[in-house]
Amino acid sequence: MLEVWHGDITKLAVDAIVNAANSSLLGGSGVDGAIHRAAGKELVHECRLLGGCKTGQAKITKGYNLPAKWIIHTVGPVWNGGTNNEMVLLESCYRNSLEIAVQKQLTSIAFPAISTGIYRFPPELAAEIAVQTVLEFSVNLERIIFVTFDKTTEDIYGKKLEQVLVGKH
Ligand code: ADP
């Protein structure tokens, strides 16, 4: 089941939440900062052992103090006008995160709107890529949640999901 949920991703008791991390995996601002704060200091210790993460790739850690059991860290592309492979890289973020979830036999996963904050990816296009990529995995996972943190993103995801679910895509 695909759903849109408005709120703070760190509050969700799902199998895994996805972090829109940076390539150091050592924490940052936005959703990354919120996840590190809520998970506690042990998270950064585990992240140090991972040796960073390339754009479009994903790596998993425990959830520590979060209600979520696992955190899948993925590094979204910085939007640079669309000529730097940004769309393919964003799709890879969703695909690689979902592949890890399937491999680990997780049943519920929550995504933030990767790259649409500080990395400036156009939100409509990001939502289109997110929804289309996730759709392919909807048979493997019971719940896939798009977490939106502001009203504009919520409206965009709501609309995209509706279009897809009534087969207008
Ligand atoms: P990026 O660097 O990939 O652009 P950001 O963290 O700046 O990542 O933003 C990605 C998205 O996450 C934005 O839509 C932002 O509003 C949202 N966001 C920020 N904090 C949270 C949170 N605690 N829970 C869910 N989404 C959040």
Side-chain angles (χ1 to χ4, degrees):
M1 190 169 76
L2 304 187
E3 1 171 346
V4 179
W5 182 77
H6 181 69
D8 179 354
I9 201 165
T10 65
K11 307 288 184 213
L12 282 177
V14 285
D15 285 345
I17 62 169
V18 176
N19 182 15
N22 58 51
S23 55
S24 77
L25 294 186
L26 300 180
S29 53
V31 71
D32 193 10
I35 289 173
H36 275 266
R37 272 193 304 278
K41 283 221 166 70
E42 279 175 293
L43 173 60
V44 82
H45 294 151
E46 185 176 356
C47 284
R48 273 206 191 95
L49 306 173
L50 298 176
C53 184
K54 294 202 175 104
T55 305
Q57 300 296 304
K59 292 190 178 178
I60 191 165
T61 65
K62 288 189 265 183
Y64 297 99
N65 297 336
L66 291 175
K69 290 189 209 105
W70 302 96
I71 305 164
I72 297 173
H73 306 263
T74 188
V75 182
V78 177
W79 181 258
N80 230 313
T83 54
N84 270 353
N85 218 22
E86 293 96 319
M87 287 171 264
V88 172
L89 289 167
L90 187 63
E91 184 184 327
S92 298
C93 288
Y94 284 93
R95 194 174 292 285
N96 287 320
S97 300
L98 288 157
E99 274 168 7
I100 290 175
V102 171
Q103 258 167 33
K104 284 239 166 217
Q105 298 184 305
L106 308 184
T107 59
S108 53
I109 186 169
F111 284 95
I114 301 165
S115 283
T116 65
I118 295 155
Y119 285 180
R120 306 181 316 271
F121 206 106
E124 288 265 358
L125 187 53
E128 174 77 27
I129 293 167
V131 171
Q132 292 298 343
T133 310
V134 154
L135 258 188
E136 293 172 37
F137 288 82
S138 54
V139 287
N140 303 100
L141 285 140
E142 276 168 29
R143 278 183 88 191
I144 303 176
I145 306 166
F146 294 109
V147 180
T148 59
F149 207 54
D150 59 80
K151 181 84 177 90
T152 313
T153 310
E154 187 184 15
D155 290 347
I156 292 171
Y157 270 88
K159 225 169 87 193
K160 281 279 177 251
L161 218 53
E162 205 176 298
Q163 282 170 358
V164 160
L165 297 178
V166 297
K168 278 199 272 172
H169 59 290

